[in-house]
């Protein structure tokens, strides 16, 4: 028989577990083989499952033994906050269409100003606005925002959500692909700078439920499996188009947490 002691560790262990493994060497038809005695395959302890296999065959005689040990346990989910409501965004409030590639991965936004959320303007609740957007001589219809976040391995991301505070309508893009738009942006041409949102939405309301300016009711969107496929290893870009429902709007606002 053959036995050995292994120190096996996993991410769930504070210290190594010593595992006593025993195998038996047998001969059949002139060939030597090794079989597992203990622990039994798929044995368990408090940390997870233990699976072992012993293999060694040689028609001319046993020359070496290779012991393979596979440690498997529960998958640990890790939650990552990439962006917060107060994160700093690049923004374009020039009332000029920035071009068809403004929401893509190669667009140069280095000349855009930047500021933390909540970004916008409100004639009645200016104390909640952290970055004031320009409205010129009349409220602009369209505003553009860009940010980025880093993903080490895109295949490891199994779920992604964002919450958004907005007034009046929005479209969200990841790496140039649209992933979500508010209901009042249905049928609105996102490439038309002057096209307006179809209805008003107050930045501290959601579905008719209004909170105070400091406690907005923020809708949450969960990306589909197809939309998760837009992610890449390394730097990813998120872009948001904000539109007003009229040029007489008294407020505009945007913040997003990812």
């Amino acid at each position: 028989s053959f036995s050995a002691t292994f120190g096996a560790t996993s991410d769930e262990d504070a210290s190594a577990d010593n595992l006593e493994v025993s195998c038996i060497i047998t001969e059949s038809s002139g060939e030597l083989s090794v079989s597992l005695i203990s622990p039994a395959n798929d044995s368990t302890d408090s940390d997870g499952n233990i699976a072992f296999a012993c293999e060694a065959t040689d028609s001319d005689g046993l020359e070496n033994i290779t012991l393979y040990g596979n440690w498997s346990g529960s998958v640990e989910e890790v939650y990552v906050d990439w962006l917060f409501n107060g994160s700093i965004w690049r923004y374009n409030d020039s009332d000029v269409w920035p071009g068809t590639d403004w929401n893509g991965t190669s667009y140069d936004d280095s000349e855009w100003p930047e500021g933390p959320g909540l970004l916008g303007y409100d004639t009645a609740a200016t104390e909640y606005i952290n970055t004031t957007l320009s409205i010129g001589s009349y409220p602009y219809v369209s505003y553009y925002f860009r940010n980025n976040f880093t993903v080490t391995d895109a295949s490891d991301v199994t779920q992604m959500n964002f919450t958004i505070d907005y007034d009046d309508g929005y479209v969200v893009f990841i790496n140039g692909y649209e992933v979500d738009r508010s209901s009042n942006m249905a049928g609105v041409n996102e490439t038309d700078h002057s096209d307006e949102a179809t209805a008003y939405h107050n930045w501290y309301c959601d579905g008719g439920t209004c909170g105070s300016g400091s406690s907005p009711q923020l809708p949450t969107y969960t990306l589909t499996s197809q939309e998760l496929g837009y992610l890449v290893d390394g730097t990813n870009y998120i872009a948001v188009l904000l539109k007003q429902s009229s040029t007489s709007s008294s407020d505009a606002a945007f913040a997003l947490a990812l």
Side-chain angles (χ1 to χ4, degrees):
S1 65
F2 170 81
S3 63
T5 301
F6 291 85
T9 62
S10 74
D11 291 340
E12 299 165 336
D13 288 316
S15 59
D17 290 339
N18 289 325
L19 304 175
E20 297 285 347
V21 181
S22 297
C23 301
I24 187 169
I25 303 172
T26 59
E27 181 180 357
S28 177
S29 301
E31 292 190 1
L32 295 172
S33 62
V34 178
S35 301
L36 180 66
I37 299 175
S38 65
N41 196 34
D42 292 329
S43 297
T44 62
D45 72 0
S46 60
D47 295 317
N49 297 323
I50 307 169
F52 286 95
C54 297
E55 297 179 28
T57 58
D58 192 324
S59 60
D60 297 324
L62 187 64
E63 294 182 355
N64 59 70
I65 297 176
T66 303
L67 179 65
Y68 298 94
N70 298 311
W71 182 279
S72 61
S74 59
V75 176
E76 181 181 358
E77 292 185 340
V78 177
Y79 295 89
V80 178
D81 292 315
W82 281 291
L83 298 171
F84 301 88
N85 287 332
S87 290
I88 295 175
W89 289 74
R90 294 279 186 181
Y91 64 92
N92 183 326
D93 62 349
S94 66
D95 198 28
V96 175
W97 166 239
T100 55
D101 60 343
W102 75 272
N103 54 12
T105 59
S106 59
Y107 186 82
D108 183 6
D109 59 16
S110 60
E111 297 300 317
W112 289 16
E114 60 182 11
L118 186 76
L119 302 98
Y121 66 87
D122 192 319
T123 56
T126 56
E127 67 270 27
Y128 301 115
I129 304 297
N130 291 319
T131 301
T132 301
L133 300 177
S134 175
I135 62 173
S137 58
Y138 57 89
Y140 299 152
V141 169
S142 298
Y143 296 90
Y144 307 88
F145 306 88
R146 285 176 55 89
N147 216 320
N148 65 76
F149 57 97
T150 301
V151 175
T152 302
D153 187 342
S155 65
D156 286 341
V157 181
T158 58
Q159 181 173 314
M160 178 176 284
N161 312 308
F162 64 79
T163 59
I164 186 167
D165 196 358
Y166 65 101
D167 188 323
D168 287 313
Y170 70 85
V171 184
V172 176
F173 306 86
I174 290 182
N175 292 330
Y177 297 96
E178 180 180 332
V179 296
D180 185 39
R181 66 172 58 203
S182 55
S183 59
N184 60 357
M185 288 292 288
V188 175
N189 184 358
E190 70 276 5
T191 66
D192 186 339
H193 180 74
S194 62
D195 209 359
E196 301 173 353
T198 60
Y200 173 72
H201 178 274
N202 199 309
W203 60 272
Y204 56 84
C205 295
D206 178 33
T209 301
C210 295
S212 66
S214 58
S215 301
Q217 310 299 307
L218 305 179
T220 299
Y221 180 76
T222 300
L223 271 66
T224 65
S225 58
Q226 177 182 338
E227 291 164 349
L228 288 176
Y230 302 152
L231 298 173
V232 298
D233 297 345
T235 303
N236 290 261
Y237 294 87
I238 183 168
V240 181
L241 165 64
L242 185 73
K243 279 187 173 288
Q244 300 305 291
S245 58
S246 76
T247 55
S248 60
S249 177
S250 63
D251 55 5
F254 163 72
L256 183 146
L258 179 68

